[in-house]
Amino acid sequence: MRVSVIGCGYVGLVTAACLAQTGHQVKCLDIDVDRVEQLRRGVCPIFEPGLEEVIANGLRDHTLSFTAEIEEACREVDVIFIAVGTPSGEDGSADTGYVLAAAGQIAAHLDQAAIVVVKSTVPVGTCDAVARRVAEGLGGRGVRFAVTVVSNPEFLKEGAAVNDFMKPDRIIVGTEDRQAIQRMRELYAPFNRNHDRMMFMDVRSAELTKYAANAMLATKISFINEIANIAELVNADIEKVRQGIGADPRIGHHFIYPGCGFGGSCFPKDVRALEATALDRNYRPRLLRAVREINDRQKQRLVEKVHDYFDGELRGRVFALWGLSFKPQTDDMRAAPSRVVMEALWRSGASVRAYDPQAMEACQAIYGDREGLSLLGTKEAAIKGADALIICTEWKGFWAPDFDYLVETLKTPVIFDGRNLFDPSLVTAKGLDYIGIGRSGQGQATPGLRLQAGSNRNDSLLDKTGGPVPFQNSRSATVPGIWGGPDQAA
Ligand SMILES: NC(=O)c1ccc[n+]([C@@H]2O[C@H](COP(=O)([O-])OP(=O)(O)OC[C@H]3O[C@@H](n4cnc5c(N)ncnc54)[C@H](O)[C@@H]3O)[C@@H](O)[C@H]2O)c1
């Protein structure tokens, strides 16, 4: 089939390249001319495992091309995907401006019957608005041919996007038009061979399915983070609790990892947008609001722990930060917890030496050459001259660090682990203090060991006898150095 995809972002590029891989003739359009030029040369503008190769295959086989001209994208086409961004508006609702603009462009240039597929995540009712925009545009030009608007939300995960698209667990299609159902079956046939993954439903249900899926996943994360916060207050270990509840097949082990909050371009904005949809209909979505608020709070947790540990004296301190992207296997820093952490540290007068395997350019693009930020080429280099280490993303390369190097190099051997990568007893036995999320057994390095460690570290944490001074938590006698209190419980 002849396919065009509007938007060469994470979703548009993956959609275009994967469809082209199966033999469909695909043109991918973006308004960003530099991006289009780059893509024509086979250079992928984002880090997404396997994507550059699929793009290269499409270019080599002449099934994939890139353009900045809407006329080109609308010429001789059967299916046009809209895969542009739907960012949060000021009130939290999804801004569908880019989607409707794309619909207007299609209406202004389309010359034959086609199916318009809305792949962007859009609030319920948007596909109807797209259909109206297209009909108005065609009417204004005095042309008449059938254009069916179909909802086809995307469920790919950044970091595994190519595989997710190639082997989807479901393909949701919102349309009740029989011809469109047939065409969508043809389009997706190469991805639907093993068993039927296609689910057809009305447009509005399809639109809502996407929001419901992301809200459910976000809820799981905020739930486990809430339990992690309670675990800290009662001196229980969230890792044990996580495994204990995950063993129940009704709960399962997926998506119940505690940490420093969810980020990315989808969950935060989609939860807010769904909340806005409900409020717009005079319904107060209490659960969605709680999910969002818990997450906003959770993103502050690491910095609160750092504040507690250093008794609020952060001015002039230097923090090594491992992991900038909102999750591993992507360079995406949209709404990443690392940003909340860095910005809070800067406000406190501290500086950051950061390392990420893929997101350094993204970080540079966001913050430029700002004071207080050094981007280092290796995780070891980030440690040099740092007071302490903060981990924000669970990249595989961080899972087994050289603890001896950390002890020797950090001025105050302590890890603030926003992803619970390590067993606290292992880290403390190595001579580092360890502060995770909801862990019991976190806290001080094993007595004695810490004394041998870190010749250049800040000795202010040692008492007169040479032993480590327990860090004081103003609110808890049993769990050292953690945040808690009534505001958390509220
Ligand atoms: N990123 C994800 O993991 C993911 C997953 C599922 C769904 N989604 C949804 O898919 C949509 C796209 O997300 P994304 O992450 O790919 O966005 P993105 O910001 O990475 O890409 C959007 C692209 O669209 C281009 N664009 C905007 N208006 C255009 C126009 N009129 N013509 C041509 N190009 C135009 C932009 O230049 C940009 O390159 C959003 O609604 C998002 O919520 C994203």
Side-chain angles (χ1 to χ4, degrees):
M1 290 172 81
R2 298 164 305 177
V3 179
S4 287
V5 178
I6 302 186
C8 296
Y10 284 85
V11 169
L13 264 182
V14 171
T15 303
C18 292
L19 288 171
Q21 174 101 340
T22 64
H24 292 306
Q25 281 296 329
V26 186
K27 296 173 198 163
C28 201
L29 168 85
D30 207 287
I31 41 175
D32 182 338
V33 179
D34 292 341
R35 178 168 280 225
V36 169
E37 277 308 316
Q38 238 184 323
L39 284 162
R40 281 181 174 152
R41 293 197 309 273
V43 178
C44 185
I46 52 175
F47 172 76
E48 183 58 48
L51 182 56
E52 196 154 73
E53 193 186 332
V54 193
I55 291 172
N57 293 344
L59 291 172
R60 183 199 60 209
D61 298 343
H62 304 289
T63 51
L64 179 64
S65 61
F66 296 97
T67 179
E69 307 296 331
I70 182 70
E71 296 85 348
E72 170 81 15
C74 288
R75 196 177 300 136
E76 294 174 356
V77 66
D78 302 307
V79 176
I80 307 182
F81 280 91
I82 298 179
V84 298
T86 45
S88 285
E90 272 184 15
D91 61 352
S93 64
D95 177 354
T96 55
Y98 297 104
V99 173
L100 294 175
Q105 290 171 317
I106 293 169
H109 296 281
L110 194 65
D111 278 326
Q112 71 286 314
I115 297 174
V116 172
V117 181
V118 178
K119 206 164 228 342
S120 301
T121 302
V122 291
V124 175
T126 306
C127 285
D128 292 344
V130 167
R132 281 196 299 276
R133 182 65 65 96
V134 172
E136 280 163 19
L138 295 179
R141 287 166 56 206
V143 293
R144 266 175 79 93
F145 35 78
V147 176
T148 310
V149 176
V150 167
S151 166
N152 173 218
E154 182 51 57
F155 296 92
L156 61 75
K157 302 181 287 294
E158 284 181 25
V162 172
N163 195 52
D164 285 348
F165 196 95
M166 291 293 197
K167 294 180 191 156
D169 37 33
R170 78 284 214 197
I171 302 166
I172 303 280
V173 178
T175 182
E176 285 160 310
D177 182 289
R178 290 181 60 168
Q179 227 178 345
I181 290 174
Q182 185 53 34
R183 297 299 270 164
M184 293 300 283
R185 277 208 175 277
E186 279 173 45
L187 180 74
Y188 278 115
F191 308 93
N192 198 36
R193 288 172 59 82
N194 181 272
H195 61 275
D196 192 6
R197 297 163 163 112
M198 297 199 73
M199 293 184 195
F200 293 93
M201 55 183 76
D202 60 280
V203 171
R204 288 175 171 249
S205 300
E207 289 172 324
L208 185 56
T209 299
K210 174 64 192 176
Y211 281 104
N214 276 359
M216 180 73 212
L217 294 169
T219 301
K220 288 184 91 171
I221 299 174
S222 278
F223 172 81
I224 199 71
N225 282 334
E226 180 126 286
I227 302 295
N229 295 337
I230 295 171
E232 290 185 354
L233 298 171
V234 299
N235 203 16
D237 187 348
I238 192 63
E239 280 306 304
K240 303 271 173 14
V241 176
R242 178 182 69 75
Q243 291 175 32
I245 63 171
D248 182 335
R250 293 171 304 175
I251 297 173
H253 289 100
H254 293 298
F255 253 76
I256 52 168
Y257 287 93
C260 51
F262 59 76
S265 68
C266 294
F267 290 177
K269 92 169 164 61
D270 291 351
V271 172
R272 280 191 80 194
L274 185 54
E275 203 183 329
T277 296
L279 287 170
D280 196 43
R281 270 78 170 175
N282 293 322
Y283 176 79
R284 271 177 60 206
R286 292 177 177 82
L287 178 61
L288 297 178
R289 186 179 174 154
V291 167
R292 179 171 57 80
E293 287 179 350
I294 290 168
N295 193 55
D296 290 345
R297 195 76 182 81
Q298 197 70 13
K299 286 182 172 177
Q300 312 280 347
R301 297 281 282 121
L302 271 182
V303 181
E304 287 167 346
K305 287 164 184 271
V306 173
H307 261 274
D308 259 4
Y309 185 91
F310 287 108
D311 252 344
E313 289 169 16
L314 300 192
R315 185 158 299 281
R317 288 197 189 272
V318 180
F319 290 92
L321 190 138
W322 286 359
L324 293 163
S325 56
F326 81 93
K327 67 172 182 179
Q329 297 296 103
T330 180
D331 58 358
D332 198 344
M333 280 185 69
R334 289 179 280 186
S338 65
R339 295 171 66 165
V340 175
V341 169
M342 289 194 294
E343 288 166 22
L345 291 174
W346 291 329
R347 278 195 300 277
S348 300
S351 59
V352 174
R353 292 171 64 79
Y355 167 74
D356 186 285
Q358 293 295 338
M360 307 288 257
E361 271 181 41
C363 188
Q364 182 88 50
I366 295 166
Y367 295 114
D369 293 326
R370 66 150 291 155
E371 206 183 317
L373 173 64
S374 309
L375 295 172
L376 283 306
T378 63
K379 64 181 191 295
E380 289 77 18
I383 298 295
K384 284 187 188 142
D387 286 270
L389 168 62
I390 300 174
I391 300 176
C392 287
T393 317
E394 65 274 34
W395 283 97
K396 281 274 188 297
F398 301 157
W399 285 71
D402 181 344
F403 288 109
D404 293 338
Y405 177 79
L406 296 181
V407 171
E408 282 159 20
T409 314
L410 289 170
K411 291 183 193 159
T412 312
V414 53
I415 301 177
F416 299 93
D417 182 358
R419 297 297 170 188
N420 284 357
L421 299 188
F422 313 118
D423 176 349
S425 61
L426 184 141
V427 179
T428 54
K430 292 278 183 186
L432 290 123
D433 291 345
Y434 180 73
I435 312 289
I437 304 285
R439 308 303 308 270
S440 65
Q442 65 181 356
Q444 302 154 6
T446 304
L449 273 176
R450 182 141 171 219
L451 280 179
Q452 300 150 20
S455 54
N456 57 348
R457 77 190 132 88
N458 182 348
D459 280 344
S460 65
L461 283 168
L462 300 181
D463 70 12
K464 288 191 211 92
T465 62
V469 176
F471 22 104
Q472 298 293 322
N473 175 4
S474 50
R475 305 179 191 100
S476 159
T478 47
V479 190
I482 63 159
W483 165 86
D487 53 343
Q488 180 192 8

